[in-house]
Amino acid sequence: EAGVTQFPSHSVIEKGQTVTLRCDPISGHDNLYWYRRVMGKEIKFLLHFVKESKQDESGMPNNRFLAERTGGTYSTLKVQPAELEDSGVYFCASSQQDRGGYETQYFGPGTRLLVL
Amino acid sequence: SQKIEQNSEALNIQEGKTATLTCNYTNYSPAYLQWYRQDPGRGPVFLLLIRENEKEKRKERLKVTFDTTLKQSLFHITASQPADSATYLCALKDSNYQLIWGAGTKLIIKP
């Protein structure tokens, strides 16, 4: 079974440019999460999809970030225009809740974004 | 304020000894707590989940304890090996929030 994949693995862009990150979750997982980790800090929640619907986007920093999950499969996270503080590692995770309501999230390798 | 804390300093342990990592939290009511392992350049990998009504959970050389009175979880690796060297993250699930993460503790097992 394929795990969660993310593309690209690295991205270096200039301030003001646009970057689109992609996440392919594990097949059949309804839940898809985006997280961000800034160096030395904890992982921060960005948003949560259940199938194609945004369940919770309370962690999105501002309206420069746009996430989509068309058809409830893969997801994209677009940053436009990128700012210096957007640099960090963006992780995607997917999960399927068990009967008890507990879930284990499976993470992708992350996209390392550097905004210069 | 609400927070979840892990020791930010790296933990150096001699091979064969037991490594113990700490996760403390304040002002959350977790339904469960999870421990993950993260290697450089990789995403976190799930290790163990412990529910609020469980005191202890084991998996091979791993053991997790959960004390909701102390608001603390301990993560133990017995008979540690150099391959256990990684950053270990705790994350708790409070029904009012998404998964909340600690910053992780780097564990170094010396041969």
Side-chain angles (χ1 to χ4, degrees):
Chain A
E1 177 183 293
V4 177
T5 57
Q6 292 186 245
F7 182 83
S9 59
H10 296 78
S11 181
V12 181
I13 60 173
E14 292 188 350
K15 176 183 172 181
Q17 290 186 319
T18 297
V19 63
T20 300
L21 314 180
R22 172 170 172 144
C23 169
D24 286 79
I26 292 172
S27 178
H29 280 190
D30 290 339
N31 295 300
L32 188 149
Y33 299 83
W34 282 99
Y35 295 93
R36 178 174 68 181
R37 185 170 194 179
V38 175
M39 193 185 305
K41 303 271 185 155
E42 66 275 14
I43 294 172
K44 289 281 194 182
F45 165 80
L46 295 178
L47 90 159
H48 170 208
F49 283 100
V50 177
K51 298 184 180 178
E52 68 275 8
S53 299
K54 290 177 186 174
Q55 182 76 11
D56 182 352
E57 51 184 334
S58 60
M60 296 285 262
N62 50 60
N63 59 10
R64 295 186 293 103
F65 289 74
L66 176 64
E68 294 179 326
R69 192 182 181 194
T70 306
T73 55
Y74 73 90
S75 175
T76 58
L77 179 65
K78 182 161 72 174
V79 185
Q80 178 184 32
E83 298 288 344
L84 300 179
E85 64 265 25
D86 300 333
S87 297
V89 182
Y90 289 77
F91 290 106
C92 173
S94 72
S95 74
Q96 193 73 333
Q97 279 193 328
D98 65 20
R99 292 177 199 169
Y102 301 100
E103 62 174 310
T104 296
Q105 296 186 17
Y106 296 86
F107 281 75
T111 294
R112 280 141 192 83
L113 174 65
L114 179 60
V115 182
L116 301 176
Chain B
S1 62
Q2 297 162 316
K3 55 183 177 180
I4 179 168
E5 289 185 328
Q6 294 184 257
N7 194 333
S8 58
E9 294 182 6
L11 182 63
N12 288 275
I13 299 292
Q14 195 67 37
E15 181 178 7
K17 302 290 186 183
T18 296
T20 299
L21 295 96
T22 304
C23 177
N24 295 300
Y25 61 93
T26 56
N27 295 329
Y28 287 114
S29 298
Y32 57 87
L33 189 145
Q34 298 176 325
W35 283 89
Y36 287 76
R37 168 182 174 144
Q38 186 173 19
D39 291 282
R42 304 280 186 100
V45 174
F46 171 78
L47 297 174
L48 281 168
L49 179 153
I50 187 163
R51 298 176 176 84
E52 60 176 333
N53 60 350
E54 296 177 322
K55 297 290 186 186
E56 182 179 298
K57 185 74 74 74
R58 290 176 186 260
K59 179 183 176 182
E60 298 172 351
R61 293 185 296 110
L62 308 180
K63 184 178 83 171
V64 172
T65 63
F66 196 11
D67 189 327
T68 54
T69 301
L70 290 178
K71 297 187 185 297
Q72 180 182 80
S73 176
L74 299 178
F75 177 81
H76 307 271
I77 304 176
T78 58
S80 59
Q81 304 166 1
D84 295 326
S85 298
T87 295
Y88 290 86
L89 305 164
C90 70
L92 68 82
K93 184 70 177 79
D94 181 309
S95 59
N96 295 314
Y97 303 94
Q98 295 288 346
L99 205 59
I100 302 143
W101 295 80
T105 298
K106 185 175 182 179
L107 176 65
I108 301 168
I109 306 298
K110 297 181 177 178

